Amino acid sequence: MTKTPTDQALFEAAEAVRARAYAPYSRFTVGAAILADDGNIYAGCNVENAAYPVGNCAEPSAIAAMLAGGGKRIKRIYVTGPGTMPVTPCGGCRQRIREFADLDVEVISHGVEGEPLVCTLEQLLPHSFGPEYLPK
Ligand code: THU
């Protein structure tokens, strides 16, 4: 995959925030970087907890940063982690991304030492349930 300047900026933002991940239990650091509808990049890392299930993934941290910073929609998202395997969003994170992204948005899963995997949100979460199902 040839990275555009935007892709390179997203990758670097995900990697920079991954260096600040709090992952003393799994030692598996994850970074996420969102290109938002306001043109800005918002990033977040995983934050673990001694009570293991209470930990946060990187993707909701990035979503929270986006909302706090004034962005509303995800236009592109990178998820980075160690090793060669693409770090794909977990099931819960796919649904969290679904809340703020159209189905054709590309999710780039990247193990830093390997090749990125590019999937649309629809490929990652087929037949998904979303906010439009709920009555207004
Ligand atoms: N993790 C993420 O941050 N995002 C994902 O989509 C997959 C998993 C984190 C959670 C936990 O802190 C560590 O990776 C190991 O599961």
Side-chain angles (χ1 to χ4, degrees):
M1 173 197 182
T2 20
K3 288 194 179 79
T4 64
T6 301
D7 279 317
Q8 190 58 32
L10 283 164
F11 176 72
E12 284 172 16
E15 278 298 282
V17 77
R18 186 166 78 85
R20 302 195 189 116
Y22 179 76
Y25 306 106
S26 73
R27 306 229 167 253
F28 191 83
T29 55
V30 183
I34 292 168
L35 175 66
D37 56 341
D38 63 359
N40 291 321
I41 289 176
Y42 297 100
C45 55
N46 53 336
V47 183
E48 297 184 347
N49 192 281
Y52 299 161
V54 183
N56 282 345
C57 283
E59 296 90 328
S61 299
I63 290 170
M66 175 183 80
L67 295 173
K72 292 198 169 11
R73 299 286 297 170
I74 298 170
K75 295 296 173 187
R76 197 167 182 75
I77 177 167
Y78 263 71
V79 182
T80 65
T84 54
M85 294 255 293
V87 177
T88 53
C90 76
C93 287
R94 293 176 195 205
Q95 186 68 39
R96 290 184 178 91
I97 294 167
R98 169 70 166 85
E99 188 73 17
F100 299 102
D102 294 343
L103 292 173
D104 62 354
V105 160
E106 287 183 331
V107 178
I108 296 91
S109 305
H110 209 326
V112 284
E113 285 154 32
E115 276 297 305
L117 174 72
V118 184
C119 297
T120 63
L121 178 58
E122 188 162 29
Q123 288 173 317
L124 286 178
L125 195 68
H127 307 292
S128 62
F129 183 84
E132 70 278 9
Y133 281 72
L134 298 175
K136 290 250 161 33

